[in-house]
Amino acid sequence: AVLGGRAARLRPLALAGLLGVGVALFGLAVLLRLPVGVAGIAVFYGLYRMVVVVVDAALQRTIEGPARATVTSVAGLGIEVVAVLVFVAWAVGAAPLVTGLLLLTVIALPRLHRDRAKDVPVG
């Protein structure tokens, strides 16, 4: 979250690349199955949270009117549910499957997150 301001200036492809690095470290932690793998999970989580901050801020800038609070709350709930599911999958041994799904998400991220810098003023 601390780096969210700087990361907000990155293009969606760069954000996806950073998240991809985090997912790769998560996958490495899955393969290692050693306590040192927790460091990979920590880096993944930090990069994931950074991307969430950037996307959440972009979402807030694009929503106007009384629905803004509801939409951002529902989006936040969805983010937290997915995060819990990732860690539950890790706990039950389905981490390789989750790593694959995370990689697919990272590949799709630039297409899903359109660069709205032309439409929405930053700041």
Side-chain angles (χ1 to χ4, degrees):
V2 172
L3 297 176
R6 290 184 180 159
R9 292 187 286 269
L10 296 174
R11 295 194 133 333
L13 189 60
L15 283 174
L18 287 173
L19 189 58
V21 168
V23 170
L25 290 172
F26 183 89
L28 185 62
V30 168
L31 294 175
L32 286 178
R33 296 183 184 249
L34 297 171
V36 73
V38 174
I41 295 169
V43 172
F44 159 73
Y45 188 73
L47 290 171
Y48 160 77
R49 291 301 305 168
M50 180 185 68
V51 171
V52 167
V53 166
V54 172
V55 172
D56 188 46
L59 177 65
Q60 288 184 28
R61 282 193 307 269
T62 59
I63 299 171
E64 296 177 3
R68 183 177 181 182
T70 303
V71 171
T72 55
S73 293
V74 170
L77 176 65
I79 289 168
E80 294 304 320
V81 168
V82 169
V84 169
L85 291 175
V86 167
F87 291 113
V88 166
W90 173 276
V92 299
L97 174 65
V98 170
T99 303
L101 291 173
L102 289 171
L103 283 173
L104 288 174
T105 302
V106 166
I107 292 167
L109 185 65
R111 292 182 182 139
L112 296 173
H113 180 269
R114 295 181 183 166
D115 188 7
R116 297 178 183 247
K118 297 174 193 169
D119 301 331
V120 179
V122 175

